[in-house]
Amino acid sequence: MKIGLETESYHLQFMTGRMDIFQFIQKTAELGLDGVMINIVKWPGLPGWGTLESFEPEYLERVRAEIRKYGFFAEIDTNGTDPAHLAQVIEAAYRIGADVIRTYVCMGTYDAERLKEAPGNIRQIVPLLQKYRIKLAIENHEEELTDEVIQIIKEVRSPWVRAHCDTGNSMMAWEDPVEAVKKLAPYACTTHFKDHIVVHDGEDYRVCGVPVGTGNIDTEQIFRILVEQSALTRINIEMCFPYAVHFKREPGAGGVLAVGEGVYKVEEPPYDLSVIKPLDYYNPPGELLDKMIEDQEKGVEQSVKYTLALVDKYCR
């Protein structure tokens, strides 16, 4: 099993200009990993395509050359199902040598109409996926239940459209992560391997990212499921710390009715509430930025060490 790293794992450095895609690729090599997953979802108020500066051919060729220098696999993260946008992303993926594109349907909030429109939109770009031999992976991205993702895949009916199995996002939809992974594994062609806890911020409950192996998700069982019950040859670490988000569906939507037990046990937030609220972790104030960047770096190292130990245990 090859292990990749998603750029979101260093989002604070990217957003503050302390890291670019070339430094990220080099860092991934230093960590002893096998590939990169490049997030091109645009950040509000910032230029470029997420962690890519542009889609200009010369720039993308430089990115491709850096990826190939280390013998890495490459994947791209985008969002939405607009055919014109996805066609542009497919062209960019081809230019950097990426063979998988992750997308998701709902854009921050549950939207039944978007889910209904998704199969028709995706069918329009299947010929382009086939032309370039690139797979589109539909993610359970916080708002979507796994059954809703699977339904889209079944309606499109193409070997070029599969699932992106995120090991933590199901919690935001009140779905047990282990059960969600069991459902998605047979359809999966890529992943985000992550860990979460539930915290209270004084107002409500939030799902909070933590270094892989330190949260309440049974990540070892999930890793074993992905190895044994999917056709995956890669798993991508997405270390979502510091990050916290509110629940996106109503309690019970995914079968879980309330916080309090098991993976939904309520834990102390990683930072004192008098210093910062969980929903502010993603864009922390300046006085906390250096501390949280350091914590993020340590979290990536911890997540990589934990995941590589699972590879040794279940894949050797």
Side-chain angles (χ1 to χ4, degrees):
M1 183 70 71
K2 293 184 177 181
I3 303 298
L5 186 65
E6 217 275 7
T7 51
E8 194 70 8
S9 304
Y10 288 109
H11 87 273
L12 290 176
Q13 294 199 48
F14 274 107
M15 291 178 69
T16 56
R18 304 186 189 194
M19 177 180 280
D20 64 19
I21 193 62
F22 302 101
Q23 292 167 318
F24 172 78
I25 294 168
Q26 181 179 354
K27 183 65 176 179
T28 303
E30 292 172 359
L31 290 166
L33 301 179
D34 307 297
V36 291
M37 189 175 227
I38 300 172
N39 198 307
I40 64 164
V41 176
K42 290 190 174 184
W43 287 305
L46 293 177
W49 291 82
T51 60
L52 291 181
E53 294 177 12
S54 79
F55 275 5
E56 291 298 319
E58 295 81 4
Y59 173 78
L60 295 178
E61 181 56 40
R62 287 177 55 214
V63 175
R64 180 188 181 95
E66 192 71 8
I67 291 168
R68 296 180 84 175
K69 182 170 80 173
Y70 296 103
F72 282 170
F73 69 80
E75 303 181 10
I76 280 184
D77 268 343
T78 189
N79 60 359
T81 63
D82 174 66
H85 169 70
L86 289 178
Q88 188 178 22
V89 173
I90 292 167
E91 295 283 353
Y94 176 73
R95 288 187 179 275
I96 70 167
D99 59 1
V100 176
I101 297 169
R102 177 232 53 180
T103 196
Y104 52 87
V105 179
C106 298
M107 309 288 277
T109 58
Y110 172 66
D111 190 327
E113 189 60 30
R114 284 184 181 272
L115 287 168
K116 183 179 178 181
E117 295 171 351
N121 287 342
I122 293 169
R123 285 192 201 100
Q124 295 180 50
I125 53 92
V126 167
L128 201 56
L129 294 170
Q130 185 173 5
K131 174 184 176 181
Y132 289 124
R133 318 298 288 181
I134 293 172
K135 289 184 178 178
L136 184 72
I138 313 300
E139 182 183 21
N140 54 321
H141 185 267
E142 302 183 355
E143 304 88 6
E144 300 93 346
L145 299 173
T146 54
D147 286 344
E148 292 166 341
V149 171
I150 292 168
Q151 182 61 32
I152 292 170
I153 294 167
K154 288 181 175 180
E155 288 187 32
V156 175
R157 297 179 62 186
S158 168
W160 300 101
V161 178
R162 306 302 292 164
H164 173 109
C165 182
D166 188 292
T167 64
N169 282 347
S170 57
M171 288 183 67
M172 293 74 149
W174 295 97
E175 194 169 7
D176 179 84
V178 172
E179 296 306 312
V181 170
K182 285 180 180 178
K183 287 183 179 181
L184 282 178
Y187 301 91
C189 69
T190 190
T191 61
H192 283 160
F193 193 56
K194 62 176 61 165
D195 207 348
H196 285 154
I197 58 174
V198 174
V199 300
H200 201 291
D201 73 351
E203 299 175 1
D204 207 342
Y205 298 106
R206 315 296 183 193
V207 180
C208 179
V210 293
V212 183
T214 69
N216 286 338
I217 295 176
D218 192 342
T219 48
E220 181 168 351
Q221 182 181 1
I222 282 174
F223 187 91
R224 190 169 66 249
I225 292 168
L226 293 174
V227 169
E228 296 175 354
Q229 300 181 29
S230 80
L232 289 169
T233 59
R234 313 165 178 167
I235 289 176
N236 295 303
I237 298 167
E238 185 185 39
M239 205 288 300
C240 289
F241 172 73
Y243 172 76
V245 68
H246 59 277
F247 286 90
K248 302 294 184 71
R249 300 289 285 266
E250 69 281 0
V256 178
L257 295 171
V259 301
E261 297 181 357
V263 70
Y264 285 89
K265 177 186 175 185
V266 180
E267 304 286 359
E268 289 295 316
Y271 300 101
D272 192 284
L273 291 175
S274 65
V275 177
I276 186 171
K277 294 292 185 68
L279 292 183
D280 294 326
Y281 291 170
Y282 198 77
N283 291 289
E287 63 270 19
L288 291 175
L289 185 58
D290 286 344
K291 162 65 175 170
M292 295 179 82
I293 284 178
E294 181 181 346
D295 290 345
Q296 190 170 69
E297 290 177 343
K298 291 178 180 177
V300 172
E301 293 172 2
Q302 190 171 4
S303 300
V304 168
K305 182 179 179 180
Y306 174 83
T307 305
L308 291 180
L310 292 179
V311 174
D312 288 339
K313 185 172 182 178
Y314 293 106
C315 305
R316 302 301 187 195

